[in-house]
Amino acid sequence: MVVGEMVQEVELAVIGAGPGGYTAALRAAELGIKTILVDAMPKPGGVCLHMGCIPSKALLHAAEIVSTAKTAAKIGLHFEAPQLNVDELRTWKTSVTDKLAAGIAGMCKSAGVEILHGNARFEDSRSVRVDRDGESAVRIKFKHAILATGSRPTSLPRLFKNEKDMASSRIMDSTGALKLEEVPKTLLVVGGGYIGLEMGTVYAALGTAVTVIEMTDGLLPGVDRDLVKPLATHLQSSFKAIYLNAKVTSLEDTGSAVAVGVVGKDLPASQTFDRVLIAVGRVPNSDNIGLENTSVEIDKHGFVGIDECCRTADKRIFAIGDVSGQPMLAHRAMRQGQVAAEVLAGRQSAFDNRAIPAVVFTEPEIAWCGLTETEAKARSVTVGAAKFPWSASGRAMTLADTNGQTKVIYDPETTQVLGVGMVGPRAGELIAEAVVAIEMGAVLEDLIVAIHPHPTLSETVMEAAMTAAARLERQRARETEKQTAPS
Ligand code: FAD
């Protein structure tokens, strides 16, 4: 045995205490499995809690207050420009994440889950070594392990002119941007995906002139264009500039700003920004953790291969969350965490969900679940799609915000609801109804006969379903007419 190493035996070692890992550990403990939860970060919660979902939504809340105060003028309420105290905002954001981290630690304690702080590496299919700063390493011998090591931002080292630029605090990833070290005068966001647009929304509301450069021909690639349109229109006015079909070719910290090389139509070859945020995607944390010492298989993108019970190719090791594939979202990780723990406890459980919701927390918000029109087209699936514009919603009018729409995607033969997409304020809260409907195999009629509270934005789901049903009825009437018409 290595000097200074302790050995611990457990039934289950969960590596990574993000939403996937802590959910799995708590569920396993609840089902009577002796569990240890290991994380390299000092507090549990993972990327989601400390550098992702929660801090970004806290800052987006601040952004929403600023823009609500601004738009209130149109209903006769006039506020002074907000006085921003960045230190206080940062302190509040950290207090939110600290409180939640303490809550997770408390739940683990009461469930009997030990949290071990350190960096884990698989030695073989039965043990991990956990290296801890200034303390002896721990070798954990396990019966089973759940890999929940998450993901990290994709870096673009080839863009940096000099090696020193890689350490520049002016060139940030999402973690750096969430630190909110300052509110720069100008910010370039590289990448028009959800993380770039959410962070751009925050900085723009705080007073930064935000420019976005996106490589493809539209923001939020892959999302239905009709949902993106109202957001794109709004961002045209709240951001300084959005360049599509454009690429960043180089980045250099000049000592006082960042010189950025760009290619794209109508774009100057070089521009200067106070800060740059690189938000071009995330890569799974499957490297440098000793998986080569196990039978776990990894695909060419670095994702760990799993079946619908979250089992890897190594019968002792399960994998969940970002490290196990797309979509890289916290709620997918949590559900998988429950599944893996239940399968380990001998229960019948599988990640067989029909709808994984996705939300872009911009202004307006975009949310969707189930089949999208884009996917239906790509897979040549025949679907019907009916929309209800929020300009016709009483609730949207009372909120003085009618920039939205709800779309129901359905099977024209069976009328089963296959997908729902929406754009507008609080779309992220509203999508949950659609998730339940799709999980339960609801048809249009189910959304129509269920009484929706009035006046609420949830009525737009019912209204879109009514639009679809009315359209189908008219179609059927026309067909019957044709068949019964004298020849
Ligand atoms: P993670 O949360 O990534 O946690 C993995 C943990 O494993 C980390 O704590 C890490 O320290 C630990 N770890 C890694 N390697 C080791 C090792 N060798 N030894 C010990 N510990 C290790 N998702 C949403 O659903 N909604 C959102 O609104 C949302 N917003 C986001 C905003 C931003 C800016 C970002 C970056 C992400 C956002 N996400 C959002 C994505 C979400 O954060 C991830 O999908 C989620 O955190 C994945 O959870 P996980 O459990 O797989 O892993």
Side-chain angles (χ1 to χ4, degrees):
M1 193 206 296
V2 183
V3 176
E5 185 186 82
M6 297 191 299
V7 178
Q8 218 169 323
E9 288 197 26
V10 289
E11 278 180 272
L12 175 63
V14 180
I15 314 302
Y22 72 73
T23 304
L26 288 169
R27 184 73 179 124
E30 198 173 70
L31 295 172
I33 300 172
K34 188 172 180 244
T35 303
I36 190 163
L37 180 59
V38 184
D39 202 292
M41 286 202 270
K43 292 176 187 171
V47 167
C48 170
L49 176 48
H50 300 286
M51 313 129 161
C53 326
I54 299 295
S56 60
K57 268 77 245 180
L59 294 179
L60 280 158
H61 174 61
E64 189 187 356
I65 294 173
V66 173
S67 87
T68 306
K70 239 188 232 168
T71 52
K74 69 183 177 195
I75 61 169
L77 290 168
H78 301 270
F79 294 95
E80 300 286 315
Q83 296 291 313
L84 173 65
N85 184 322
V86 186
D87 291 338
E88 284 174 10
L89 179 56
R90 210 184 300 114
T91 304
W92 170 70
K93 172 189 64 116
T94 309
S95 75
V96 172
T97 55
D98 280 354
K99 236 180 258 169
L100 286 165
I104 296 167
M107 284 194 289
C108 287
K109 197 172 173 199
S110 9
V113 173
E114 183 190 342
I115 301 181
L116 184 67
H117 170 44
N119 210 45
R121 194 180 157 79
F122 284 85
E123 294 186 310
D124 52 44
S125 300
R126 305 200 63 159
S127 68
V128 283
R129 182 187 154 93
V130 181
D131 287 311
R132 303 183 299 161
D133 271 350
E135 286 182 80
S136 47
V138 179
R139 175 181 287 165
I140 303 173
K141 291 187 171 175
F142 56 79
K143 211 162 141 195
H144 287 105
I146 297 178
L147 186 65
T149 45
S151 63
R152 61 180 184 273
T154 303
S155 56
L156 298 173
R158 67 195 153 76
L159 294 186
F160 293 95
K161 275 221 162 143
N162 309 297
E163 210 165 288
K164 71 166 175 47
D165 296 332
M166 293 180 78
S168 161
S169 61
R170 292 191 182 89
I171 305 169
M172 313 176 286
D173 57 20
S174 56
T175 306
L178 284 166
K179 284 186 187 152
L180 198 68
E181 279 169 354
E182 61 162 1
V183 178
K185 281 204 174 69
T186 57
L187 170 72
L188 170 67
V189 177
V190 185
Y194 86 94
I195 293 178
L197 298 188
E198 287 186 1
M199 292 315 303
T201 299
V202 168
Y203 277 92
L206 300 182
T208 300
V210 174
T211 298
V212 175
I213 289 192
E214 162 58 39
M215 206 171 74
T216 69
D217 61 2
L219 297 175
L220 297 171
V223 182
D224 282 355
R225 293 299 91 191
D226 54 348
L227 299 181
V228 177
K229 206 172 166 207
L231 171 66
T233 308
H234 176 79
L235 293 181
Q236 291 293 351
S237 59
S238 58
F239 288 179
K240 182 171 174 248
I242 297 173
Y243 298 113
L244 303 175
N245 296 311
K247 252 183 171 176
V248 170
T249 52
S250 65
L251 297 167
E252 185 180 14
D253 187 333
T254 61
S256 57
V258 186
V260 182
V262 276
V263 285
K265 207 171 156 255
D266 304 327
L267 261 167
S270 175
Q271 293 192 47
T272 301
F273 297 89
D274 290 341
R275 289 209 175 213
V276 173
L277 161 61
I278 299 177
V280 292
R282 298 183 63 80
V283 286
N285 289 327
S286 57
D287 47 351
N288 304 320
I289 50 172
L291 290 181
E292 62 283 5
N293 303 323
T294 71
S295 306
V296 170
E297 286 171 8
I298 297 171
D299 74 10
K300 63 176 191 236
H301 304 290
F303 289 118
V304 171
I306 52 165
D307 65 13
E308 67 169 12
C309 293
C310 303
R311 291 189 200 95
T312 68
D314 190 314
K315 66 181 191 310
R316 292 184 182 276
I317 303 174
F318 287 57
I320 58 174
D322 284 11
V323 76
S324 71
Q326 299 284 2
M328 291 195 194
L329 291 169
H331 40 268
R332 170 177 171 270
M334 290 187 211
R335 175 73 197 127
Q336 287 182 315
Q338 286 172 335
V339 169
E342 286 166 8
V343 171
L344 277 168
R347 299 232 174 156
Q348 286 280 333
S349 188
F351 187 78
D352 51 6
N353 292 61
R354 289 179 176 177
I356 305 173
V359 181
V360 184
F361 292 83
T362 39
E363 246 180 72
E365 291 182 357
I366 300 181
W368 67 95
C369 68
L371 190 65
T372 64
E373 280 194 283
T374 309
E375 279 163 3
K377 202 169 163 197
R379 285 165 40 194
S380 304
V381 181
T382 306
V383 294
K387 296 178 194 174
F388 185 78
W390 288 21
S391 52
S393 154
R395 184 60 180 140
M397 278 187 221
T398 63
L399 294 170
D401 196 347
T402 55
N403 187 20
Q405 66 171 22
T406 298
K407 174 169 69 171
V408 172
I409 296 157
Y410 55 93
D411 180 334
E413 292 298 320
T414 63
T415 81
Q416 187 174 349
V417 180
L418 303 175
V420 172
M422 42 180 81
V423 53
R426 296 284 178 261
E429 305 290 337
L430 296 174
I431 201 69
E433 171 186 356
V435 176
V436 176
I438 293 170
E439 284 298 337
M440 298 192 71
V443 292
L444 293 172
E445 188 70 5
D446 294 315
L447 294 180
I448 295 167
V449 300
I451 298 175
H452 288 69
H454 177 75
T456 64
L457 296 169
S458 73
E459 288 170 294
T460 64
V461 177
M462 177 185 70
E463 295 280 2
M466 283 164 81
T467 307
R471 184 187 298 163
L472 284 174
E473 238 164 63
R474 283 197 302 275
Q475 263 168 16
R476 279 176 197 148
R478 274 199 301 273
E479 277 158 24
T480 314
E481 215 172 275
K482 252 193 228 159
Q483 281 162 8
T484 54
S487 48

